[in-house]
Amino acid sequence: MSQDTWTAVDEYLEARFIAADPALEHAQQATLDAGLPPHLAVSGLQGKFLQMLAQIHGAKSILEIGTLAGYSTIWLARSLPVDGRLISLEAVPTNVTLARKNIEFAGLSHLVEIHAGKALDVFPVIAQSDNVPFDLIFIDADKSGYKDYVDWALKLSRKGTVIILDNVIRDGEIVNFDNNTRTMRGLREYFDHLALQNKITSTTLQTVGCKGYDGFTLAIVL
């Protein structure tokens, strides 16, 4: 199978399961206009999958680590009840500005709060907020930090909290041990660390689609 096939299948499925949506299309175009790599955001099908997971779980408080331009943020925020809250963390100031505009365009500013700064610097502030513990945590940020993000996710969670970590297979490079980039070292450290945790149960699935060959981890706090 090839990337062309995976993309064609995604397009076939999106045409059937994802209706035209001005807010999402605006966020995607704003991402392109800002020169941000479009593959960094989740796909439409993945975004809806995240939204449905949050709805199934009945999440009222969501933490997102890695906002980018707010595409996945919109999907997740739409899963929330009227009294819900989504906190999103983004390290790049220009991305924060762009995401806030996209969230406002989507009419979701009353549900979403975006914090600017590196996640490890912002976590202590979040820990003191009324939003803790979170019902669902979505992590899609610097892969070299995933181990530390898991530790913080556990501090900010409760029994039953769902944790999702994106982009953990990286075209299968996770098992190419000649690849010792910062990203791959960080992901292997993360997997080794995750396997030792007794406070969560987790699994990881490989995926293909318009974003290529990758995968995600799904974990539940015990």
Side-chain angles (χ1 to χ4, degrees):
M1 293 298 177
S2 68
Q3 181 61 60
D4 289 343
T5 300
W6 301 338
T7 300
V9 171
D10 263 12
E11 291 172 349
Y12 173 85
L13 296 173
E14 285 194 8
R16 283 151 182 81
F17 297 122
I18 300 178
D21 191 308
L24 292 171
E25 292 164 6
H26 176 87
Q28 288 176 317
Q29 188 60 52
T31 300
L32 292 173
D33 292 345
L36 295 172
H39 69 274
L40 294 181
V42 299
S43 69
L45 293 169
Q46 291 167 342
K48 189 169 184 178
F49 179 74
L50 291 172
Q51 183 188 75
M52 292 173 70
L53 280 179
Q55 290 172 326
I56 290 168
H57 191 49
K60 294 181 65 175
S61 181
I62 297 175
L63 174 65
E64 178 183 50
I65 304 170
T67 317
L68 196 64
Y71 184 76
S72 57
T73 317
I74 293 171
W75 279 108
L76 286 167
R78 285 177 171 176
S79 74
L80 291 169
V82 293
D83 59 343
R85 195 68 176 162
L86 188 154
I87 305 298
S88 190
L89 313 184
E90 174 58 45
V92 181
T94 52
N95 291 353
V96 172
T97 300
L98 179 62
R100 285 175 175 159
K101 290 180 180 178
N102 289 336
I103 296 302
E104 182 178 6
F105 184 89
L108 296 167
S109 297
H110 62 294
L111 293 173
V112 177
E113 180 180 328
I114 301 176
H115 287 251
K118 293 182 179 179
L120 295 180
D121 295 332
V122 180
F123 283 140
V125 177
I126 300 299
Q128 301 301 315
S129 74
D130 294 335
N131 299 291
V132 176
F134 292 97
D135 302 317
L136 183 143
I137 299 173
F138 177 52
I139 303 174
D140 188 8
D142 177 19
K143 313 312 168 192
S144 65
Y146 271 24
K147 173 182 175 292
D148 293 330
Y149 297 160
V150 166
D151 288 341
W152 268 104
L154 288 172
K155 294 177 184 177
L156 300 173
S157 64
R158 58 165 176 81
K159 180 180 179 181
T161 293
V162 171
I163 304 171
I164 307 159
L165 299 100
D166 199 16
N167 305 129
V168 298
I169 301 300
R170 313 293 290 187
D171 287 320
E173 288 297 294
I174 193 66
V175 292
N176 176 9
F177 298 102
D178 291 328
N179 185 338
N180 287 308
T181 61
R182 181 171 174 265
T183 291
M184 298 317 302
R185 290 197 309 270
L187 282 174
R188 292 186 193 112
E189 183 181 31
Y190 147 74
F191 274 119
D192 290 343
H193 185 61
L194 191 66
L196 296 174
Q197 300 303 308
N198 56 16
K199 295 181 179 179
I200 53 178
T201 182
S202 57
T203 189
T204 296
L205 298 180
Q206 300 177 72
T207 61
V208 295
C210 63
K211 301 296 181 178
Y213 168 34
D214 217 316
F216 66 89
T217 293
L218 177 66
I220 301 174
V221 178
L222 300 175

